[in-house]
């Protein structure tokens, strides 16, 4: 320990090192349940690329594991510390280095908050679409590490669609540049995409070139109430089948609607079994909403309420934004899944989740990015009740199994981390896991980067 601190101190300012165990303990884990966390030897908060390189050279020389972190808003345990590790928190590297309206790119450090970047590019008439629900807190580096999504994915895609270049500090301290600044580029293997979603297991992101889009018109929102989740999912299929491209298409099941009603006094009828929100940011969103309203009516909607303007749209979106917070009030703890299935299987996924909730005598609410089939079953349980905690974990696993049976994936946007590593092997298969491990060994031969995560 003394040797580690001495070597780190040689290349870092004193304020970049935290050794007080009461403080380092607060960096031990992210927001996932049922994920073990160790006690870090030290927390390092670098401000420069050179400082990150020094940390990695020191870690390699002493064979000390390194766990990179952003804001720790993740939900898979990917940022959890291991005993004796260096926690490398990148939140102090928070500069927006460049916004270029001609090339439509932003160059940023990993600690930039998603919402801060979004507002900064808006001032240039540009738009950075990825918008995780934690966008006011989460960092771009964390978004890249877990390949985050958000509400806009149905039209604009996920984080991976916008990362076109990276600066990576490798395990041995070397600096690797991947990708480009150009609109096109196919030179060499796509190492940039390889790092997006790698959860800090291959290298440390210290810079990113992000693609931007022109800022779209203000979106308008429609809310449709349904007598069943199946009817709401039927509406989703009709909307997508007819070729509509909503900027948002979100679904909340009965449990979620009631939790939101109780918390936010939204005034939704108790008879609502599912609520579907659709939005368009097209030049004529009213026409699009009218067409979608007709499809919702055809699918059996009991009421369809289109917003008249941006202010009403924001009111309608409040219910979706408070979904996870509202479900957290149901019990003392939650487990948030993010199983993604083909859109055509969305109804089966939600109905199957309801059956699992009944089987395990648990409250499980589902909110979903319905337009891309990404469900968020939220298992609510009392963490002080051992039996209920056991049932919560078993129900969580059964939900993932259901997703795979329906042709889906165990994670659409939260990542694998610790929480789902056993399930990753089931989804990928033996050959794919072998290839993954080979790639890991090529970039991190000593296994120092975020050990024990992903697989």
């Amino acid at each position: 320990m003394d040797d580690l601190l001495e070597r780190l101190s040689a290349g870092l300012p004193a304020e970049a090192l935290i050794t007080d165990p009461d403080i380092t303990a607060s960096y031990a884990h992210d927001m996932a349940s049922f994920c073990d966390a160790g006690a870090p030897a030290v927390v390092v908060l670098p401000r420069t690329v050179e400082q990150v390189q020094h940390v990695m050279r020191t870690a390699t020389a002493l064979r000390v594991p390194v766990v990179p972190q952003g804001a720790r808003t993740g939900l898979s345990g990917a940022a959890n510390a291991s005993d004796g590790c260096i926690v490398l928190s990148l939140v102090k590297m928070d500069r927006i280095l460049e916004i270029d309206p001609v090339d439509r790119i932003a160059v940023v450090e990993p600690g930039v908050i998603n919402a801060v970047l979004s507002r900064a590019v808006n001032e240039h008439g540009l738009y950075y679409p990825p918008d995780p629900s934690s966008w006011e807190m989460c960092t771009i580096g964390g978004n890249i590490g877990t390949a985050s999504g958000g509400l806009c994915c149905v039209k604009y895609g996920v984080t991976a669609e916008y990362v076109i270049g990276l600066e990576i500090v490798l395990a041995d301290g070397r600096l690797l540049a991947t990708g480009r600044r150009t609109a096109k580029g196919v030179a060499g293997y796509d190492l940039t995409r390889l790092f997006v979603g790698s959860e800090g297991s291959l290298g440390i992101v210290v810079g990113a070139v992000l693609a931007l889009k022109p800022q779209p018109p203000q979106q308008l929102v429609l809310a449709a109430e349904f007598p069943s989740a199946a009817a709401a999912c039927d509406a989703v299929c009709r909307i997508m089948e007819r070729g509509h491209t909503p900027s948002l298409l979100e679904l909340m099941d009965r449990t979620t609607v009631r939790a939101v009603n109780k918390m936010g006094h939204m005034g939704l009828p108790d008879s609502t079994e599912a609520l579907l929100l659709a939005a368009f940011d097209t030049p004529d969103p009213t026409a699009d909403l009218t067409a979608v309203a007709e499809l919702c009516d055809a699918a059996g909607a009991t009421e369809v309420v289109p917003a008249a303007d941006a202010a009403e749209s924001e009111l309608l979106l409040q219910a979706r934004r408070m979904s996870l917070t509202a479900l957290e009030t149901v019990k003392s703890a939650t487990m948030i899944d993010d199983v993604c299935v083909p859109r055509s299987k969305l109804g089966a996924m939600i109905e199957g989740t309801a059956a699992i909730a009944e089987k395990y005598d648990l409250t499980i609410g589902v909110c979903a990015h319905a337009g891309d089939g990404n469900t968020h079953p939220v298992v609510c349980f009392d963490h002080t009740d051992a039996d209920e905690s056991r049932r919560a974990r078993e129900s969580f696993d059964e939900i993932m199994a259901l997703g795979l049976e329906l042709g889906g994936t165990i994670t659409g946007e939260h990542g694998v981390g610790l929480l789902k590593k056993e399930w990753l092997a089931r989804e990928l298969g033996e050959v794919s896991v072998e290839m993954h491990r080979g790639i890991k060994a090529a970039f991190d031969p000593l296994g120092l980067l975020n050990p024990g995560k992903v697989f």
Side-chain angles (χ1 to χ4, degrees):
M1 175 69 168
D2 290 341
D3 191 17
L4 172 62
L5 293 179
E6 182 178 344
R7 293 202 187 195
L8 288 173
S9 298
L12 295 166
E15 64 269 18
L17 294 170
I18 301 175
T19 57
D20 184 333
D22 290 334
I23 300 177
T24 59
S26 67
Y27 287 84
H29 57 85
D30 62 16
M31 298 179 70
S33 300
F34 293 107
C35 291
D36 294 334
V42 60
V43 174
V44 181
L45 294 99
R47 289 184 180 273
T48 68
V49 172
E50 292 75 19
Q51 290 174 2
V52 176
Q53 290 181 283
H54 173 69
V55 171
M56 293 314 305
R57 291 185 188 115
T58 301
T60 294
L62 299 179
R63 305 299 195 263
V64 178
V66 177
V67 176
Q69 290 183 347
R72 291 177 289 111
T73 57
L75 293 164
S76 68
N80 284 19
S82 54
D83 285 331
C85 76
I86 299 169
V87 162
L88 186 60
S89 174
L90 299 157
V91 295
K92 299 294 186 182
M93 296 179 68
D94 60 354
R95 295 180 300 163
I96 299 174
L97 302 175
E98 181 183 354
I99 297 173
D100 187 330
V102 175
D103 290 327
R104 294 180 182 172
I105 60 170
V107 182
V108 304
E109 292 183 328
V112 172
I113 301 296
N114 184 294
V116 171
L117 174 64
S118 294
R119 293 179 182 123
V121 302
N122 287 164
E123 294 178 3
H124 296 265
L126 297 169
Y127 177 43
Y128 180 67
D131 60 344
S133 59
S134 59
W135 78 306
E136 294 281 7
M137 299 178 289
C138 64
T139 63
I140 295 299
N143 295 168
I144 292 170
T146 57
S148 298
L151 302 184
C152 72
C153 295
V154 61
K155 180 173 183 178
Y156 292 104
V158 296
T159 296
E161 313 298 327
Y162 297 90
V163 182
I164 61 175
L166 290 172
E167 278 200 324
I168 305 285
V169 173
L170 298 174
D172 60 8
R174 289 179 295 166
L175 186 62
L176 169 68
T178 76
R180 62 195 193 280
R181 292 171 60 104
T182 56
K184 292 181 179 179
V186 294
Y189 295 137
D190 192 348
L191 296 182
T192 303
R193 278 293 187 101
L194 179 62
F195 280 97
V196 178
S198 64
E199 302 183 27
S201 65
L202 300 178
I204 311 295
V205 173
V206 291
V209 181
L210 305 174
L212 306 174
K213 289 186 174 294
Q215 190 169 7
Q218 181 70 50
Q219 66 180 1
L220 286 183
V221 179
L222 169 152
E225 298 170 16
F226 289 88
S228 69
C233 292
D234 180 30
V236 170
C237 291
R238 290 170 185 251
I239 292 167
M240 302 309 292
E241 184 180 24
R242 293 294 179 88
H244 293 288
T245 308
S247 55
L248 173 149
L249 191 58
E250 298 287 308
L251 186 149
M252 299 157 58
D253 75 345
R254 170 186 58 198
T255 300
T256 306
V257 168
R258 290 179 180 175
V260 167
N261 245 349
K262 183 176 180 181
M263 178 181 176
H265 308 290
M266 301 298 291
L268 299 171
D270 288 338
S271 59
T272 300
E273 292 293 311
L275 181 70
L276 186 66
L277 299 174
F280 287 88
D281 57 6
T282 53
D284 185 11
T286 301
D288 291 301
L289 290 183
T290 298
V292 166
E294 292 174 358
L295 294 175
C296 288
D297 285 334
T302 54
E303 187 171 3
V304 179
V305 182
D309 53 30
E312 284 189 17
S313 293
E314 185 58 33
L315 286 173
L316 291 174
L317 288 178
Q318 282 184 10
R320 174 61 182 90
R321 289 193 179 124
M322 70 173 62
S323 293
L324 298 182
T325 303
L327 287 168
E328 287 172 355
T329 67
V330 174
K331 290 276 188 171
S332 64
T334 57
M335 288 187 74
I336 305 174
D337 212 328
D338 72 318
V339 172
C340 188
V341 297
R343 297 185 192 99
S344 58
K345 302 295 184 182
L346 184 60
M349 184 69 207
I350 293 177
E351 290 180 346
T353 299
I356 291 169
E358 183 176 357
K359 173 182 175 180
Y360 287 95
D361 191 23
L362 292 166
T363 298
I364 303 178
V366 179
C367 49
H369 307 310
D372 49 25
N374 195 176
T375 68
H376 290 305
V378 181
V379 183
C380 308
F381 65 100
D382 181 355
H383 74 283
T384 66
D385 184 326
D387 182 65
E388 192 163 307
S389 295
R390 174 191 59 78
R391 286 184 279 123
R393 181 64 214 227
E394 290 179 4
S395 71
F396 188 86
D397 286 341
E398 199 159 319
I399 289 168
M400 285 191 286
L402 173 63
L404 291 181
E405 289 170 10
L406 294 173
T409 175
I410 59 169
T411 176
E413 56 187 5
H414 293 169
V416 176
L418 290 169
L419 189 62
K420 298 187 175 184
K421 57 186 292 187
E422 294 179 6
W423 282 93
L424 181 65
R426 301 191 200 189
E427 177 173 336
L428 296 182
E430 183 178 341
V431 174
S432 183
V433 169
E434 182 182 343
M435 294 297 102
H436 276 68
R437 288 178 173 154
I439 293 169
K440 167 73 170 173
F443 282 95
D444 182 22
L446 298 177
L448 299 179
L449 287 169
N450 218 5
K453 311 295 172 50
V454 187
F455 52 80

